[in-house]
């Protein structure tokens, strides 16, 4: 029983680590999509953030500068997306695909040019990264039977960026539902013409939504390469941006629900490696590829209205023409 | 403010795409310059690598074959205003059609029939993989952009499972299927020209190139010469109008996606029947995504798609040459070029339009001002 309890705790702990970049990217996706801009470029922003974070951290020795650089790079990608599909009213999906290609190409090309290691960045030492933080009172709470272990294993001992991600979710929800900016942002995704006739700039509002998304993706990228990992590896985002997009849809374009979707997808990811080769009672061994496919299958079923009813923003994907 | 006149047809079809292409290459050139290499030299190396060196043309045309198929897949969907990002997955699953057909028919039928059946089955499998997103969009309202992305991941998971499990070659550790029987191999260009006593350099180019050319023609007939093509274009222009005119919109969407998937599925014949002679892990190597760039550059027209495919074929083959000639630029440059081309000929396709139309009006009217 104790054995199982700790197994479960470690699985949850791993879930949190895996779900962190998903949460941040999902919040980015929600801001962008609620403002009416399809964002399949989450993947590219995540990748470029990861690359710039590792590069700057390696060159300057400062994780904080790395984080700042990652945010700048990701915001730049967002601005490019905005330039193409807000200013020039280009196709949002095409622009997203382009950004993903640019990120794949540029990160490797620049990586080789700077470090000459086939696209990887040098391994960072521990003070060039965001290290796990021991929270307060771990030792005192340790004496309490179950709660102490939960606190030590699950809640304490993550890097700063994990806590940032956890805070970002309620913050995103607050901005969207409790501020004037959030109200307008949701309105511009439903009916830009109404926002426009109220005298608010649709263009600037959508740009701001994309910039906020860029910040989130940048933090996520930094988490991948200078917190969770210790260097940048080519294509290290490995589809996480798309999973985050699936979580956005699964969460019906709402931050808190998307957060739960991220945790669920993260949990699936975390237990996949643990279940490999394990014979479960009754069902037997689950092929790991099925676990990999599960988030996508669930999202497709949800999108098709087989479980629940998705309600995407009405004006999503449509450029606004006066 | 005067209403801007549309560009003349030749400028819209040739000049504007050319300017967009130049802009894409120009930006890539700047990147090459920033990392300290000479962009002009890089271009020369790529052109030599793509066309001049012995056998290089064969490689270029082999890549071209792939891009024709995936470009047609994306273009077919574009005509109905659908965005099929799933070419990658559809092509990947297309290989299952070939494996299935060879298992069923190869022992009993002569080569030519086996090859034809394999071609049909690869198209059918690709079509089936696109049919589901098409159906879900038409009947259940989920957008194909998202569902086809998800189906790429599903295809990848399915193929990894199959190639590492049920279909793995006996006694092999790496995930790949058994070799397909000899009578299902598509003859290479070398063999083909050998029949006529002509000597060509060895390359992966094979008869699927001809199938690709036929597919281009079929696409042209389908889109512009048949009733279905008219319906596809009508749905793409305006669903409500098409519906009002008595076109069954959801049926058309499903059929369009099916045809689109069939074109993508055909990519598998080049890789599986022509080159590898087995299904291997990730043989699609991003060709499906490149199809998006091809369709955008080729303006969804068969002639445009052919030349865009040729360009990308040359880029892929020439890009490989960069690895040998330069220390700091590699074939990954091609990813950047693709991104730039998709950006400039897709998302920013009309950025230069106002400027160009102003210049053209001025030039054509001999300096007369009209605005």
């Amino acid at each position: 029983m104790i054995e199982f309890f700790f197994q479960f705790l470690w699985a949850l702990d791993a879930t949190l680590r895996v779900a962190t970049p998903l949460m941040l990217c999902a919040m980015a996706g929600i801001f962008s999509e609620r403002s009416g801009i399809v964002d399949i470029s989450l993947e590219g922003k995540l990748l470029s953030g990861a690359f710039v974070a590792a590069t700057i951290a390696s060159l300057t020795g400062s994780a904080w500068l790395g984080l700042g650089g990652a945010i700048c790079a990701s915001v730049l990608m967002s601005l490019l997306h905005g330039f193409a599909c807000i200013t020039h009213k280009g196709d949002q999906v095409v622009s997203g695909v382009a950004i993903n290609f640019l990120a794949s190409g540029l990160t490797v090309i620049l990586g080789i040019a700077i470090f000459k290691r086939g696209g990887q960045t040098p391994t960072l030492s521990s003070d060039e990264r965001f290290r796990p933080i021991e929270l307060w009172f771990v030792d005192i709470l340790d004496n309490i039977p179950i709660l102490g272990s939960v606190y030590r294993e699950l809640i304490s001992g993550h890097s700063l960026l994990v806590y940032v991600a956890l805070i970002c979710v309620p913050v995103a929800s607050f901005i969207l539902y409790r501020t004037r900016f959030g109200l307008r942002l949701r309105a511009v995704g439903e009916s830009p013409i109404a926002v426009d006739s109220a005298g608010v700039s649709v263009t600037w509002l959508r740009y701001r939504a994309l910039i906020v998304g860029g910040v989130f993706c940048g933090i996520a990228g930094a988490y991948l390469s200078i917190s969770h990992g210790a260097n940048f590896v080519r294509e290290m985002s490995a589809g996480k941006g798309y999973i985050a997009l699936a979580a956005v849809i699964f969460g019906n374009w709402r931050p808190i629900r998307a957060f739960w979707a991220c945790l669920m997808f993260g949990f699936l990811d975390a237990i996949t490696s643990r279940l490999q080769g394990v014979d479960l009672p009754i069902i037997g061994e689950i092929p790991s590829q099925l676990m990999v496919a599960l988030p996508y299958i669930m999202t497709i079923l949800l999108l098709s209205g087989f479980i629940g009813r998705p309600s995407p923003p009405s004006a999503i994907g449509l450029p606004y023409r006066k | 403010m005067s209403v801007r006149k549309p560009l003349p047809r030749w400028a819209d079809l040739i000049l504007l795409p050319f300017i967009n292409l130049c802009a894409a290459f120009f930006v890539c050139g700047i990147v090459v310059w920033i990392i300290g290499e000479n962009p002009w030299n890089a271009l020369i190396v790529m052109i030599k690598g793509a066309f001049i060196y012995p056998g290089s043309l064969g490689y270029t045309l082999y890549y071209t074959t792939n891009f024709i198929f995936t470009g047609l897949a994306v273009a077919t969907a574009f005509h109905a205003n659908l965005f099929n990002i799933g070419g990658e997955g559809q092509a990947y699953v297309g290989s299952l059609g070939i494996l299935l057909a060879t298992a069923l028919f190869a022992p009993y039928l002569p080569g030519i029939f086996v090859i034809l059946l394999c071609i049909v089955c690869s198209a059918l499998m690709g079509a089936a993989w696109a049919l589901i997103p098409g159906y879900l969009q038409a009947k259940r309202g989920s957008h194909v952009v998202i569902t086809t992305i998800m189906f790429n991941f599903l295809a990848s998971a399915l193929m990894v499972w199959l190639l590492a499990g049920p279909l793995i070659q006996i006694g092999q550790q790496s995930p790949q299927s058994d070799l397909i029987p000899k009578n299902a191999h598509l003859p290479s260009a070398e063999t083909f020209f050998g029949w006529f006593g002509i000597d060509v350099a060895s390359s992966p180019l094979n008869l699927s190139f001809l199938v690709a050319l036929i597919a281009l023609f079929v696409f042209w007939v389908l889109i512009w010469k048949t009733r279905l093509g008219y319906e596809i274009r009508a749905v793409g222009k305006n669903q409500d109008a098409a519906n009002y005119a008595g076109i069954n919109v959801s049926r058309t969407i499903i059929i369009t996606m099916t045809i689109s998937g069939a074109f993508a599925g055909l990519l598998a014949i080049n890789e599986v029947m022509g080159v590898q002679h087995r299904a291997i892990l990730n043989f699609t190597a991003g060709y499906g995504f490149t199809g998006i760039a091809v369709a955008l550059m080729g303006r969804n027209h068969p002639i445009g798609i052919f030349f865009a495919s040729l360009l990308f074929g040359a880029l892929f083959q020439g890009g490989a040459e960069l690895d040998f000639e330069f220390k700091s630029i590699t074939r990954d440059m091609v990813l950047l070029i693709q991104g730039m081309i998709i950006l400039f000929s897709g998302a920013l396709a009309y950025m230069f339009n106002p400027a160009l139309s102003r210049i053209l009006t001025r030039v054509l009217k001999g300096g007369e001002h009209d605005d």
Side-chain angles (χ1 to χ4, degrees), chain A residues 21-39:
Chain A
L22 300 183
M23 289 176 211
L24 288 162
C25 286
M27 295 310 124
I30 288 174
F31 269 82
S32 166
E33 303 225 344
R34 284 306 278 264
S35 81
I37 309 280
V38 177
D39 203 356

mmCIF file of all heavy atoms in Angstrom, chain A residues 21-39:
data_model
loop_
_atom_site.group_PDB
_atom_site.id
_atom_site.type_symbol
_atom_site.label_atom_id
_atom_site.label_comp_id
_atom_site.label_asym_id
_atom_site.label_seq_id
_atom_site.Cartn_x
_atom_site.Cartn_y
_atom_site.Cartn_z
ATOM 1 N N PRO A 21 5.314 22.829 -19.572
ATOM 2 C CA PRO A 21 5.323 23.547 -20.857
ATOM 3 C C PRO A 21 3.946 23.504 -21.539
ATOM 4 O O PRO A 21 3.576 24.448 -22.227
ATOM 5 C CB PRO A 21 6.374 22.798 -21.682
ATOM 6 C CG PRO A 21 6.552 21.488 -21.015
ATOM 7 C CD PRO A 21 6.260 21.699 -19.571
ATOM 8 N N LEU A 22 3.205 22.414 -21.310
ATOM 9 C CA LEU A 22 1.866 22.315 -21.914
ATOM 10 C C LEU A 22 0.964 23.421 -21.373
ATOM 11 O O LEU A 22 0.249 24.084 -22.125
ATOM 12 C CB LEU A 22 1.230 20.950 -21.625
ATOM 13 C CG LEU A 22 1.971 19.718 -22.119
ATOM 14 C CD1 LEU A 22 1.156 18.463 -21.811
ATOM 15 C CD2 LEU A 22 2.223 19.812 -23.607
ATOM 16 N N MET A 23 1.008 23.626 -20.043
ATOM 17 C CA MET A 23 0.149 24.658 -19.438
ATOM 18 C C MET A 23 0.463 26.016 -20.020
ATOM 19 O O MET A 23 -0.428 26.763 -20.409
ATOM 20 C CB MET A 23 0.412 24.730 -17.939
ATOM 21 C CG MET A 23 -0.081 23.576 -17.134
ATOM 22 S SD MET A 23 0.497 23.924 -15.457
ATOM 23 C CE MET A 23 0.733 22.295 -14.867
ATOM 24 N N LEU A 24 1.769 26.339 -20.057
ATOM 25 C CA LEU A 24 2.155 27.671 -20.542
ATOM 26 C C LEU A 24 1.732 27.855 -21.995
ATOM 27 O O LEU A 24 1.158 28.880 -22.363
ATOM 28 C CB LEU A 24 3.665 27.855 -20.387
ATOM 29 C CG LEU A 24 4.137 28.042 -18.948
ATOM 30 C CD1 LEU A 24 5.625 27.782 -18.831
ATOM 31 C CD2 LEU A 24 3.808 29.453 -18.468
ATOM 32 N N CYS A 25 1.997 26.835 -22.823
ATOM 33 C CA CYS A 25 1.625 26.948 -24.235
ATOM 34 C C CYS A 25 0.111 26.991 -24.388
ATOM 35 O O CYS A 25 -0.408 27.681 -25.268
ATOM 36 C CB CYS A 25 2.190 25.781 -25.039
ATOM 37 S SG CYS A 25 3.931 25.926 -25.299
ATOM 38 N N ALA A 26 -0.591 26.246 -23.557
ATOM 39 C CA ALA A 26 -2.049 26.252 -23.656
ATOM 40 C C ALA A 26 -2.591 27.637 -23.324
ATOM 41 O O ALA A 26 -3.498 28.140 -23.999
ATOM 42 C CB ALA A 26 -2.649 25.201 -22.727
ATOM 43 N N MET A 27 -2.018 28.306 -22.313
ATOM 44 C CA MET A 27 -2.459 29.664 -21.988
ATOM 45 C C MET A 27 -2.184 30.588 -23.178
ATOM 46 O O MET A 27 -3.005 31.430 -23.536
ATOM 47 C CB MET A 27 -1.738 30.200 -20.745
ATOM 48 C CG MET A 27 -2.061 29.445 -19.464
ATOM 49 S SD MET A 27 -3.820 29.244 -19.176
ATOM 50 C CE MET A 27 -3.931 27.467 -19.030
ATOM 51 N N ALA A 28 -1.004 30.409 -23.788
ATOM 52 C CA ALA A 28 -0.684 31.207 -24.977
ATOM 53 C C ALA A 28 -1.724 30.968 -26.069
ATOM 54 O O ALA A 28 -2.233 31.907 -26.685
ATOM 55 C CB ALA A 28 0.704 30.841 -25.490
ATOM 56 N N GLY A 29 -2.042 29.687 -26.290
ATOM 57 C CA GLY A 29 -3.021 29.340 -27.313
ATOM 58 C C GLY A 29 -4.379 29.950 -27.011
ATOM 59 O O GLY A 29 -5.073 30.442 -27.905
ATOM 60 N N ILE A 30 -4.756 29.952 -25.737
ATOM 61 C CA ILE A 30 -6.065 30.502 -25.369
ATOM 62 C C ILE A 30 -6.116 32.007 -25.651
ATOM 63 O O ILE A 30 -7.071 32.503 -26.243
ATOM 64 C CB ILE A 30 -6.368 30.209 -23.880
ATOM 65 C CG1 ILE A 30 -6.673 28.722 -23.719
ATOM 66 C CG2 ILE A 30 -7.540 31.043 -23.390
ATOM 67 C CD1 ILE A 30 -6.848 28.273 -22.295
ATOM 68 N N PHE A 31 -5.062 32.725 -25.272
ATOM 69 C CA PHE A 31 -5.066 34.174 -25.536
ATOM 70 C C PHE A 31 -5.176 34.446 -27.021
ATOM 71 O O PHE A 31 -5.968 35.287 -27.455
ATOM 72 C CB PHE A 31 -3.799 34.826 -24.963
ATOM 73 C CG PHE A 31 -3.991 35.302 -23.561
ATOM 74 C CD1 PHE A 31 -3.884 34.422 -22.507
ATOM 75 C CD2 PHE A 31 -4.322 36.625 -23.303
ATOM 76 C CE1 PHE A 31 -4.087 34.842 -21.206
ATOM 77 C CE2 PHE A 31 -4.525 37.053 -22.008
ATOM 78 C CZ PHE A 31 -4.407 36.164 -20.959
ATOM 79 N N SER A 32 -4.359 33.719 -27.798
ATOM 80 C CA SER A 32 -4.375 33.962 -29.231
ATOM 81 C C SER A 32 -5.732 33.593 -29.835
ATOM 82 O O SER A 32 -6.334 34.376 -30.572
ATOM 83 C CB SER A 32 -3.245 33.160 -29.869
ATOM 84 O OG SER A 32 -3.426 33.115 -31.235
ATOM 85 N N GLU A 33 -6.217 32.401 -29.499
ATOM 86 C CA GLU A 33 -7.427 31.921 -30.166
ATOM 87 C C GLU A 33 -8.666 32.666 -29.686
ATOM 88 O O GLU A 33 -9.606 32.883 -30.450
ATOM 89 C CB GLU A 33 -7.571 30.406 -29.983
ATOM 90 C CG GLU A 33 -6.364 29.655 -30.506
ATOM 91 C CD GLU A 33 -6.685 28.429 -31.344
ATOM 92 O OE1 GLU A 33 -7.823 27.922 -31.318
ATOM 93 O OE2 GLU A 33 -5.790 27.983 -32.039
ATOM 94 N N ARG A 34 -8.685 33.057 -28.403
ATOM 95 C CA ARG A 34 -9.836 33.828 -27.928
ATOM 96 C C ARG A 34 -9.908 35.188 -28.602
ATOM 97 O O ARG A 34 -10.960 35.820 -28.646
ATOM 98 C CB ARG A 34 -9.787 34.001 -26.408
ATOM 99 C CG ARG A 34 -10.185 32.766 -25.621
ATOM 100 C CD ARG A 34 -11.507 32.184 -25.978
ATOM 101 N NE ARG A 34 -12.660 32.799 -25.369
ATOM 102 C CZ ARG A 34 -13.267 32.368 -24.253
ATOM 103 N NH1 ARG A 34 -12.827 31.313 -23.638
ATOM 104 N NH2 ARG A 34 -14.321 32.971 -23.797
ATOM 105 N N SER A 35 -8.749 35.677 -29.111
ATOM 106 C CA SER A 35 -8.788 36.949 -29.821
ATOM 107 C C SER A 35 -9.110 36.745 -31.301
ATOM 108 O O SER A 35 -9.188 37.697 -32.063
ATOM 109 C CB SER A 35 -7.457 37.683 -29.680
ATOM 110 O OG SER A 35 -6.529 37.174 -30.606
ATOM 111 N N GLY A 36 -9.260 35.479 -31.705
ATOM 112 C CA GLY A 36 -9.660 35.197 -33.082
ATOM 113 C C GLY A 36 -8.528 34.790 -34.001
ATOM 114 O O GLY A 36 -8.700 34.711 -35.208
ATOM 115 N N ILE A 37 -7.335 34.533 -33.443
ATOM 116 C CA ILE A 37 -6.204 34.131 -34.286
ATOM 117 C C ILE A 37 -5.877 32.659 -34.032
ATOM 118 O O ILE A 37 -5.505 32.299 -32.919
ATOM 119 C CB ILE A 37 -4.942 34.956 -33.965
ATOM 120 C CG1 ILE A 37 -5.245 36.447 -33.975
ATOM 121 C CG2 ILE A 37 -3.816 34.604 -34.907
ATOM 122 C CD1 ILE A 37 -5.290 37.067 -35.314
ATOM 123 N N VAL A 38 -6.012 31.837 -35.074
ATOM 124 C CA VAL A 38 -5.625 30.437 -34.953
ATOM 125 C C VAL A 38 -4.129 30.375 -34.682
ATOM 126 O O VAL A 38 -3.361 31.072 -35.339
ATOM 127 C CB VAL A 38 -5.927 29.662 -36.258
ATOM 128 C CG1 VAL A 38 -5.459 28.230 -36.129
ATOM 129 C CG2 VAL A 38 -7.397 29.707 -36.562
ATOM 130 N N ASP A 39 -3.721 29.567 -33.717
ATOM 131 C CA ASP A 39 -2.301 29.549 -33.400
ATOM 132 C C ASP A 39 -1.720 28.147 -33.439
ATOM 133 O O ASP A 39 -1.568 27.493 -32.416
ATOM 134 C CB ASP A 39 -2.068 30.179 -32.026
ATOM 135 C CG ASP A 39 -0.645 30.694 -31.902
ATOM 136 O OD1 ASP A 39 0.127 30.492 -32.838
ATOM 137 O OD2 ASP A 39 -0.329 31.301 -30.884
#
